[in-house]
């Protein structure tokens, strides 16, 4: 009976911890890139402020939801690109990046520096707010500051 109760409690604790981490943005230290895997380097968009590299697998249901969130965000945000990288047949890519679950989203500069990462489905507004300092500010046309 005690084993059953202990297993149940351990399962609940792990479940709560995983739920709390889902979609949470983790910023990374501003270091130079340390040898990104070639598929990731190829996915970086030159001349773009930030590339969102989504690490996915074929049979991952949350990956489809993440793809929808990130592609919509990239379409409406200047300086932001989204690339979905399926690692089903390339597990070494996930291992080299330290990715333990899919979906995981990496926000990378065009030089390959990691700005942040999100495990699970990101919350669009929180992600945009975290990326804002790294994106090109939009110039408002017809604003009052132009005079005349």
């Amino acid at each position: 009976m005690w084993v059953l109760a202990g297993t149940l409690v351990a399962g609940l604790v792990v479940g709560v911890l995983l739920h709390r981490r889902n979609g949470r943005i983790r910023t990374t230290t501003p270091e130079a890139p340390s040898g990104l895997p070639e598929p990731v380097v190829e996915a970086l968009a030159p001349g773009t402020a930030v590339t969102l590299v989504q690490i996915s697998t074929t049979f991952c249901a949350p990956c489809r939801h993440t793809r929808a969130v990130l592609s919509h965000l990239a379409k409406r945000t200047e300086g932001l690109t989204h690339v979905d990288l399926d690692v089903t047949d390339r597990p070494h890519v996930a291992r080299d990046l330290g990715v333990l679950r899919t979906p995981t989203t990496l926000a990378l500069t065009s030089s390959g520096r990691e700005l942040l990462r999100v495990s699970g489905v990101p919350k669009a507004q929180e992600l945009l707010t975290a990326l804002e300092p790294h994106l090109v500010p939009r110039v408002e046309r017809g604003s009052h500051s132009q005079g005349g």
Side-chain angles (χ1 to χ4, degrees), residues 75-98:
K75 284 179 187 172
R76 67 181 181 95
T77 307
E78 188 176 341
L80 190 62
T81 303
H82 168 243
V83 177
D84 187 1
L85 188 61
D86 188 330
V87 297
T88 302
D89 297 325
R90 301 178 281 188
H92 66 280
V93 173
R95 184 188 64 238
D96 292 350
L97 293 170

Side-chain angles (χ1 to χ4, degrees), residues 31-80:
E31 300 171 352
S34 58
L36 291 173
E38 190 168 334
V40 176
V41 173
E42 291 172 357
L44 294 177
T48 300
V50 178
T51 301
L52 297 174
V53 179
Q54 176 185 338
I55 307 299
S56 300
T57 52
T58 303
F59 301 105
C60 166
C63 293
R64 290 189 287 278
H65 187 219
T66 299
R67 186 178 309 115
V69 169
L70 297 179
S71 62
H72 177 72
L73 194 61
K75 284 179 187 172
R76 67 181 181 95
T77 307
E78 188 176 341
L80 190 62

Side-chain angles (χ1 to χ4, degrees), residues 78 137-147:
E78 188 176 341
R138 290 187 180 205
V139 177
E140 298 273 334
R141 295 188 189 269
S143 68
H144 294 103
S145 63
Q146 291 182 355

Side-chain angles (χ1 to χ4, degrees), residues 31 33 36 44-45 48-52 106-115 134:
E31 300 171 352
L36 291 173
L44 294 177
T48 300
V50 178
T51 301
L52 297 174
L106 308 175
L108 303 169
T109 64
S110 59
S111 65
R113 185 171 60 92
E114 185 176 325
L115 302 171
H134 306 285

